[in-house]
């Protein structure tokens, strides 16, 4: 029996997602993304660190901007054992420009623009607009998903408290 694909909303309008979200206790799927210098990056290369994988529609929107800035502030407090990664369909050039303008130093931005590998494997691709839904996955150092939050409305920020609690429980 397979789980049905979830639906989120954008300004109240329903948007189905492609695939199913991975569940707590499952191994985190590997995905190939692209860094700001156009080099491929495998998510599994971060094994050994606690990961916060934050998918957002676009860094050039107010909520994504606020969310990524907030995670950048939190990363300072969490230390080197934690890697926070913001993933979007934005082109790597746009991500690099945005990070420079926003002073983002602790959050790594990776792009899923090439093949939507992350969006498909993590069930957060919005096929109708080819963007990623707002979601957060916390992955332990062994590569197991320990927390999942799919934000039901694109225009809302995630609930940070439970995310940070899940991360701290792994340190």
């Amino acid at each position: 029996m397979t789980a049905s694909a979830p639906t989120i909303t954008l300004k109240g309008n329903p948007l189905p997602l492609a695939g199913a979200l991975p569940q707590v206790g499952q191994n985190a799927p590997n995905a190939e993304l692209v860094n700001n210098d156009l080099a491929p990056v495998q998510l599994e290369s971060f094994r050994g660190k606690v990961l916060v994988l934050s998918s957002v529609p676009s860094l050039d929107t107010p909520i994504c901007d606020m969310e990524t800035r907030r995670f950048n502030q939190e990363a300072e407090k969490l230390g080197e054992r934690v890697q926070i990664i913001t993933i979007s369909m934005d082109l790597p050039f746009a991500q690099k420009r945005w990070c420079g303008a926003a002073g983002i130093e602790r959050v790594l931005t990776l792009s899923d623009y090439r093949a939507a590998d992350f969006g498909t494997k993590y069930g957060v691709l919005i096929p109708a607009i080819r963007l990623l839904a707002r979601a957060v996955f916390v992955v332990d150092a062994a590569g197991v998903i320990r927390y999942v939050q799919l934000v039901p409305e694109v225009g809302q920020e995630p609930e940070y408290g439970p995310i940070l609690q899940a991360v701290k429980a792994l340190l």
Side-chain angles (χ1 to χ4, degrees), residues 29-168:
N30 185 35
E32 184 172 283
L33 299 157
V34 181
N35 73 14
N36 292 173
D37 296 320
L38 298 176
V41 175
Q42 301 290 326
L43 278 183
E44 67 186 10
S45 69
F46 295 97
R47 192 80 30 97
K49 288 191 178 242
V50 172
L51 290 180
V52 177
L53 304 174
S54 169
S55 68
V56 300
S58 175
L59 290 169
D60 284 319
T61 61
I63 302 298
C64 301
D65 178 284
M66 287 189 299
E67 178 180 340
T68 306
R69 288 174 189 263
R70 169 74 185 267
F71 276 131
N72 193 61
Q73 291 171 345
E74 297 295 342
E76 292 293 328
K77 302 173 202 167
L78 294 171
E80 297 299 318
R81 292 176 47 205
V82 177
Q83 177 65 63
I84 300 176
I85 303 173
T86 294
I87 302 162
S88 71
M89 291 295 233
D90 294 315
L91 293 175
F93 309 111
Q95 289 182 338
K96 187 173 189 174
R97 174 196 44 77
W98 182 86
C99 287
I104 301 300
E105 296 177 355
R106 290 281 288 127
V107 170
L108 177 64
T109 56
L110 296 175
S111 178
D112 200 22
Y113 85 99
R114 280 191 183 150
D117 195 34
F118 178 87
T120 302
K121 290 178 178 175
Y122 282 77
V124 295
L125 178 64
I126 309 169
I129 55 176
R130 196 165 159 56
L131 294 176
L132 302 180
R134 188 177 315 285
V136 179
F137 303 88
V138 176
V139 180
D140 70 18
V144 177
I145 295 175
R146 296 299 176 192
Y147 180 83
V148 175
Q149 184 183 139
L150 176 64
V151 180
E153 166 59 45
V154 171
Q156 295 176 342
E157 288 181 82
E159 293 181 44
Y160 298 104
I163 297 164
L164 296 170
Q165 195 172 19
V167 171
K168 290 173 184 173

